Amino acid sequence: MAPVPEDDATLREPGPDASVAAGSLRLPLSPAGADRIRWVSIAATLVAAVVLLVAQGTGYAATLGVTLALALAVAWGWPLLTGSWTPTATTVVLAVASVAIVLSALRQDLLWVPAAVAFGILLAFSGQLVRRTGREGLVLTLLSSFGGLVVIASGTTAVVAANSDKGRAVAVVAMAAVGAAVVTDLLAGVRGASPFLGFVALAAAVLAAVVVATRGTQVGALEALGIGAAVGTVSWSFRRVLALQPAMLTVRGQVGAGAGSVLVVGAVVHLFSVLT
C-alpha cells in the first residue's frame, strides 16, 4: 500500500531554513548558545512592566490601551517563537483576536473575555481551512495560536485591577517583582550559575515586592511575598523556557518573549486583587 502524504518523512521533517525562520521543534541552539544575555528581551520586559505600572496608576482606559499594545507585540513575535509554519497568518489571527480579547474588558466583569477567546480559536481554525500550503505543521501552528491567545487573555484579566485602590497596589507590587526578576537574565552564561537562576529570580522578585509593599501600599508584607514569588517565577520561567528557541536570536522573537512575560502574569494579578 502506498503511504499517504502525511507518512512521507520529507513532510514530517521541516527543512533547515524553515527551522531557523519559524522556530520549529528542531532546536539548533545548544544550551551553551542559549545561555546568552538577550538585551532586547530584557529591555522589552522592563519597558512593558514600567509602562503597565504607570498605566495602572493612571486609570482604566490607559491600562486597556497599554495592554492592547503589549498584546499586539506578542502577536508579532509569538508565531516565530513557537514554530508556527505560517507565521504571518498566525500573527494576523493573534492581532485580530487581541483587539477582540482586550476590548472585551470594556465590560469590567470580564464576562465577554471567554467569548473573545473563542472567537480567536475560530479564527485560528478558519485560517488553517483556507491555507493553500498543505498540512505540514498543522498541529504546531494551531498550538502556536492557542498559546498566544492564553497569554493575551491572561494579560487582559489584569486590566480590571485598575478599578480599585487595592487592585492598583497589587499591580504595582507585581510589576516591581517582574522587573526585579529580569536581573536574573543578566546572569545567563555565567559558569555554574544555571542551576541557581530560578532561586535568584525568586529571591529578587520577593525582595522587590516586599520593599514596594512597605512604601505605603495597601498590600501587606505576607501578601507581597506571595505576589512576588508567583509573578517573578512565572515571568522569568516564561523567558527561560523560550531561551532555546531559534527566534530568540532575532529582535522580533525577543520582543515577543519580553512582552509575553509581562502579560502572562496578568491572571495572577487579577487573582490576588480579587481574593485579598
Side-chain angles (χ1 to χ4, degrees):
M1 179 181 294
V4 296
E6 289 78 7
D7 290 336
D8 192 333
T10 60
L11 294 182
R12 292 199 307 268
E13 296 293 337
D17 292 338
S19 177
V20 174
S24 74
L25 290 178
R26 297 178 61 190
L27 302 176
L29 300 184
S30 67
D35 279 336
R36 285 191 277 169
I37 298 176
R38 309 295 183 188
W39 293 107
V40 175
S41 175
I42 291 173
T45 304
L46 288 175
V47 169
V50 171
V51 172
L52 194 55
L53 185 153
V54 172
Q56 284 279 356
T58 303
Y60 200 88
T63 304
L64 198 71
V66 170
T67 300
L68 178 57
L70 294 179
L72 292 175
V74 170
W76 181 57
W78 186 257
L80 290 187
L81 283 169
T82 51
S84 170
W85 281 65
T86 56
T88 301
T90 303
T91 291
V92 172
V93 167
L94 291 179
V96 174
S98 293
V99 176
I101 293 172
V102 176
L103 293 185
S104 70
L106 287 171
R107 177 162 178 157
Q108 298 179 13
D109 58 6
L110 299 178
L111 190 63
W112 291 344
V113 172
V117 173
F119 169 69
I121 293 174
L122 288 175
L123 280 181
F125 277 111
S126 298
Q128 295 306 304
L129 288 175
V130 300
R131 177 177 167 184
R132 298 181 178 180
T133 57
R135 294 174 57 188
E136 297 88 347
L138 172 64
V139 173
L140 187 59
T141 300
L142 287 173
L143 290 177
S144 174
S145 297
F146 299 160
L149 292 174
V150 169
V151 173
I152 293 165
S154 178
T156 299
T157 62
V159 173
V160 294
N163 272 337
S164 64
D165 292 338
K166 180 59 182 292
R168 287 192 292 270
V170 170
V172 168
V173 171
M175 291 303 105
V178 168
V182 173
V183 173
T184 312
D185 294 11
L186 299 174
L187 299 178
V190 175
R191 181 172 297 181
S194 294
F196 308 103
L197 291 180
F199 296 104
V200 174
L202 176 63
V206 167
L207 179 61
V210 172
V211 169
V212 171
T214 58
R215 302 295 181 179
T217 67
Q218 298 185 19
V219 177
L222 186 61
E223 184 183 352
L225 190 151
I227 295 171
V231 302
T233 302
V234 170
S235 180
W236 173 79
S237 297
F238 184 92
R239 295 189 302 277
R240 184 66 177 173
V241 166
L242 296 172
L244 283 171
Q245 291 297 93
M248 286 299 285
L249 297 175
T250 69
V251 170
R252 182 175 175 180
Q254 291 183 58
V255 169
S261 69
V262 175
L263 286 185
V264 76
V265 303
V268 180
V269 174
H270 179 64
L271 182 65
F272 274 93
S273 64
V274 170
L275 297 182
T276 59

